[in-house]
Structure formats: C-alpha cells, structure tokens
Amino acid sequence: MIKSVVIAGAGQAAAWVARSLRAEGYAGRIVMCGAECEPPYERPPLSKEQLAPDAPNMPYLIRHDEFPELAVEWKPGTSVTQINRTAKTVVLSNAEQLSYDALVIATGGRAHLPPVPGFDLDCVHTLRTLDDARRLRAAITPDRRLLVVGGGWIGLEVAAMARRAGVPVVLAEMGSGLCARSGSRFLSSYLQTLHASNGVDLRLNTRVVRLAVSGDGGYMAEFDDGSKQEADLFVVGAGLIPNDEIAVNAGLHCDRGVLVDSAGRSSDPFIYAAGDVAVLCTSEGGSLRLESWQNAQDQGIAVGLSLLGRHAVYMPQPFFWSSQYDTLIQMAGTTEAATTWVMRQGQGNQQIHIGLDDTYRAVFAMGINAPRDLRMLRRFIADALPLDRWLLADTEVPLTKVVAT
Ligand SMILES: Cc1cc2nc3c(=O)[nH]c(=O)nc-3n(C[C@H](O)[C@H](O)[C@H](O)COP(=O)(O)OP(=O)(O)OC[C@H]3O[C@@H](n4cnc5c(N)ncnc54)[C@H](O)[C@@H]3O)c2cc1C
C-alpha cells in the first residue's frame, strides 16, 4: 500500500494523476512539484484565444484554492532535479529532499529551438507556457510583421490569430506540406488553401538559416535559397523535446521520453510516467508518444488507477484537434495502415476524410467542422467495425447505416 506519491511536473497529466487518486479514495500524501509558478492549466488555449487582446481567464485544472481541498501539497516554481532510486527520494531545485513510495514523471516537454544564428534575439518567440503566451500576446500588434517558422499545429494557430489581429504573416515551412506529420495529404492541402485564403504568405520547402538585425529597426531572415524576408516578430514552432533528463540520469529506460507499459509503469516498478513525456510500449512491440490534450488526461487518470493497484490498461486511440480561423479540425487514429481513402462531403463547410485498412475497417478519420460525425467515426475506429466504403462516401446515408453487413 503506497503512502506517499510524488509527482514531478504540475501540468495536465500531473493534475489528472492527483485528481484520479483522490477520486478513487487514496488518502495518502501527494506532493506535486512544478517548475512553473502557475497551478496546472490546459495548454491548447495558449495558441488560440489566449493570444487575442481580450483573452479570457485561463481554465486551471486545479485552482489555487483547490489544493487544500484536494490535500495536494503543491510546490510552485520547484523542479525535481534528481531521482535517487535506491533511497526512493527526489532532490528538488530548492535543495529539499522528498521520499516517495511511488514517483510519477509528468514533466511534459519544451519547445525545440533549432540552432539557427539569431534565434537567440528577443524578437524570437516559442510557445509552451502561459508566460510565453502573455509575452507573445503583447508582441502581436497590427504595426508588426510576423514570420512564423514551422508549418505545424502551433505555427498555424499562431498565424491564424495574428491574421485575425490584422498582422501581415509569412510562414516558412522546410517540408513540402503543412502538418505533414499528421500523415494526411488531404489535410495538408486543405490547410494550405485555408491559410492562403486568409492572407498568409506561405513559403514551403523553405528553411530559415540566419536572422539578424536589419537597418531600420526590424530583423532580416535569410532562407536557404538565399532569399530574404524582413519582419519584426518571429515565432518558431519546430516541435517538442521531451523533458526526460531526470529519468535518463536515473537510468530509467528512455527513448525520447520515458518508456512505460500500458499501466504507465517505467522500467522501475515504483516510477510511472504520463503525458507528453511518456512513451507507451505497445503489445505489438511498437512505441507511441502522443502530444495531445486527450492523452495527457487519459494517461494521467490511468496512472492514478495503476498506483492504487487497479487494473488500468491504457491503449489510447490517438485524438487531436485544432482550431484555426473559424475552422475546427479533428483527427482520430493513425494513417499507417490506411490503404483506401474515402471523402465524405458533409453539410455546408463540413468535410470528412476517412482512412480504411485493407479489410475496410476505419483506422483514421479527419473532420473539418464535423464534430458529431467525428464522434461516431472514433467509435468505429475503436470497435474496428468493417464499413461499406460506398455508403460511407454517400452523404445522403447517415453514418449509423454505413457498417458493412
Ligand atoms: C501552445 C499549445 C497548444 C496546444 N494545443 C493543443 C490542441 O489544440 N489540441 C490538443 O490535443 N493538444 C494541444 N496541445 C498539447 C497538449 O496541451 C499537451 O499534450 C499537454 O499539455 C501535455 O500535458 P503534460 O502534463 O504531459 O505536459 P505539460 O502540460 O507540459 O506539463 C508539464 C509540466 O511539468 C513541468 N516540468 C518540467 N520539468 C520539470 C521538473 N523536472 N520538475 C518539475 N516540473 C517540471 C513543466 O514546466 C510543465 O509545467 C497544445 C500544446 C501547446 C503547448
């Protein structure tokens, strides 16, 4: 029976570990150590409504005043710097030592800043924390020109918010498509049209190689083809580096994140991991690290249950959403096994792109402004139901009638 749980990290996964422990009746000690000074909060709004001049209040996952109620000892602005597995203790950035019966690593990740000369200038922003969002919000003013480096989700959401504020935006992506990692070429070309029609100057196959102060108070970016672009503000959205150093230094099995089983347990049976920092080893011998809101919540809950000895098998179905301009984009599943693609044109501006495997079971679905249909398709993916591809493509046929008989 565990009597004390230490959580390294105070983000989304950490909050759900603590909440699920208490919801399941755990009465022992919970200490939550967070490098940031904010209580746990949700990050998706940071690249969306938090960049607007009239940003709403942050949706905290555990408010300041809830910590005593939940009996969680929160240590803000305090990192876990070292794990001593033999003594079952951690060392904190304030030199304090804490003992644990179980340790949860929920340290997320940090923004990757490529080693480009000039990326250390003040005009360069990354976006991971609420402080980053506040700084960027103050910098996005209509008299500035923005250059976004990276055509992934965060870069695109920032571009959309900047365009809404009337800021001229150039977006440079070194690959040949936007959000190419999603694996859907349809999505890439949809996003290209969406941003171009909203006035973003897209430069694909273009890498920024240098940034320097230009003569008139702005900055000049140089691209790999020798061309140049002047701007006042730069946002680099170039992916995430998992914060797994404490795990690596403690000798846990890691591979760009902490390797865990379906119970969230690492190679040390007293140490667990959840969220962006966790790499789930699948029963087929693969591995999966998800950077999504849904995963941080669900894996956090699963780890909470595992800590109490409940049988929690966490095998997620990837799910991600993004909102850009007035468009809601949702994706479920993965594209690797997709061999047949079906386009389902919904009502109005709805579009759905579905990937079927070679037995016509849905493995991937991407919806534009179609949350209801996506909910149903997520169920089809989870239940591995064979679908009739022709009925699926027929918008007149409701999704309830497309399961093959
Ligand atoms: C700008 C932005 C927009 C996003 N939008 C979406 C979206 O639209 N849809 C979606 O599905 N997902 C989105 N995500 C992803 C989603 O927010 C993350 O997957 C989720 O926050 C991961 O939760 P986590 O708890 O693993 O990590 P985090 O929420 O990052 O929390 C980790 C915490 O641990 C702290 N920490 C790090 N090292 C230590 C240490 N050694 N000791 C103590 N504390 C430490 C960090 O400072 C951080 O506070 C977005 C992410 C960002 C950054």
Side-chain angles (χ1 to χ4, degrees):
M1 186 64 177
I2 53 167
K3 294 207 178 97
S4 105
V5 176
V6 171
I7 308 174
Q12 192 185 343
W16 282 106
V17 172
R19 280 202 176 278
S20 69
L21 280 170
R22 289 297 183 231
E24 293 296 317
Y26 171 70
R29 188 178 185 204
I30 302 176
V31 187
M32 186 186 286
C33 309
E36 290 179 75
C37 293
E38 299 286 338
Y41 58 88
E42 299 193 339
R43 284 171 213 272
L46 302 185
S47 46
K48 306 177 184 73
E49 59 267 27
Q50 282 300 314
L51 295 181
D54 54 350
N57 290 337
M58 274 301 287
Y60 287 107
L61 287 155
I62 301 178
R63 295 186 318 272
H64 273 100
D65 57 320
E66 276 184 295
F67 284 102
E69 214 174 285
L70 277 172
V72 172
E73 296 169 46
W74 171 46
K75 292 181 179 290
T78 310
S79 299
V80 171
T81 56
Q82 204 184 316
I83 304 168
N84 184 336
R85 288 167 54 195
T86 316
K88 289 182 55 191
T89 56
V90 290
V91 180
L92 309 185
S93 49
N94 61 6
E96 193 184 340
Q97 279 206 27
L98 284 176
S99 310
Y100 63 82
D101 292 330
L103 171 67
V104 182
I105 301 175
T107 47
R110 57 189 179 274
H112 169 55
L113 194 62
V116 170
F119 272 10
D120 55 345
L121 290 164
D122 278 350
C123 58
V124 176
H125 294 247
T126 55
L127 187 50
R128 182 74 202 172
T129 66
L130 185 51
D131 282 346
D132 294 339
R134 287 176 178 139
R135 200 176 138 245
L136 184 56
R137 185 199 307 150
I140 295 178
T141 52
D143 57 329
R144 297 236 168 103
R145 298 156 296 175
L146 169 66
L147 195 156
V148 175
V149 181
W153 295 110
I154 289 181
L156 292 175
E157 289 180 351
V158 171
M161 290 306 292
R163 288 301 300 135
R164 187 169 278 182
V167 172
V169 179
V170 174
L171 187 146
E173 161 57 46
M174 65 180 186
S176 57
L178 301 176
C179 286
R181 271 203 302 156
S182 70
S184 163
R185 258 184 283 157
F186 168 76
L187 175 64
S188 288
S189 73
Y190 179 87
L191 290 170
Q192 218 166 305
T193 309
L194 178 69
H195 282 272
S197 64
N198 277 283
V200 177
D201 178 354
L202 293 171
R203 315 267 177 93
L204 299 177
N205 300 302
T206 302
R207 186 191 294 260
V208 176
V209 292
R210 198 180 327 279
L211 184 61
V213 178
S214 73
D216 57 0
Y219 299 86
M220 189 67 81
E222 190 181 323
F223 300 120
D224 52 353
D225 62 359
S227 62
K228 293 185 174 167
Q229 177 66 46
E230 203 172 19
D232 309 293
L233 183 62
F234 298 78
V235 173
V236 181
L240 166 140
I241 300 175
N243 290 325
D244 65 356
E245 288 80 0
I246 49 171
V248 171
N249 293 339
L252 296 178
H253 296 173
C254 293
D255 180 11
R256 288 202 74 241
V258 185
L259 299 186
V260 296
D261 63 14
S262 61
R265 201 179 296 110
S266 75
S267 52
D268 178 324
F270 302 103
I271 303 181
Y272 294 69
D276 285 6
V277 77
V279 181
L280 177 67
C281 300
T282 62
S283 45
E284 299 85 35
S287 65
L288 188 63
R289 191 173 63 74
L290 297 171
E291 296 169 17
S292 78
W293 179 95
Q294 190 77 55
N295 177 63
Q297 172 170 312
D298 294 349
Q299 201 171 25
I301 292 171
V303 163
L305 294 174
S306 298
L307 286 167
L308 300 177
R310 310 278 155 81
H311 184 63
V313 177
Y314 179 63
M315 275 299 154
Q317 180 198 92
F319 177 71
F320 183 85
W321 90 92
S322 170
S323 60
Q324 299 168 30
Y325 310 102
D326 292 324
T327 304
L328 173 67
I329 301 152
Q330 294 171 299
M331 288 190 309
T334 53
T335 54
E336 291 92 60
T339 48
T340 302
W341 289 93
V342 176
M343 177 62 77
R344 189 177 160 90
Q345 207 72 38
Q347 288 157 351
N349 58 2
Q350 292 185 346
Q351 290 185 54
I352 303 167
H353 201 213
I354 303 143
L356 305 175
D357 68 7
D358 46 16
T359 59
Y360 299 121
R361 285 170 166 81
V363 288
F364 175 81
M366 197 272 299
I368 307 289
N369 297 320
R372 229 146 103 255
D373 285 353
L374 245 283
R375 240 191 328 272
M376 176 139 277
L377 285 161
R378 285 177 75 183
R379 229 176 306 144
F380 290 161
I381 297 173
D383 296 345
L385 293 173
L387 305 180
D388 183 314
R389 56 188 289 207
W390 307 112
L391 293 178
L392 193 58
D394 186 345
T395 314
E396 301 298 313
V397 179
L399 278 179
T400 45
K401 303 249 162 67
V402 302
V403 176
T405 46

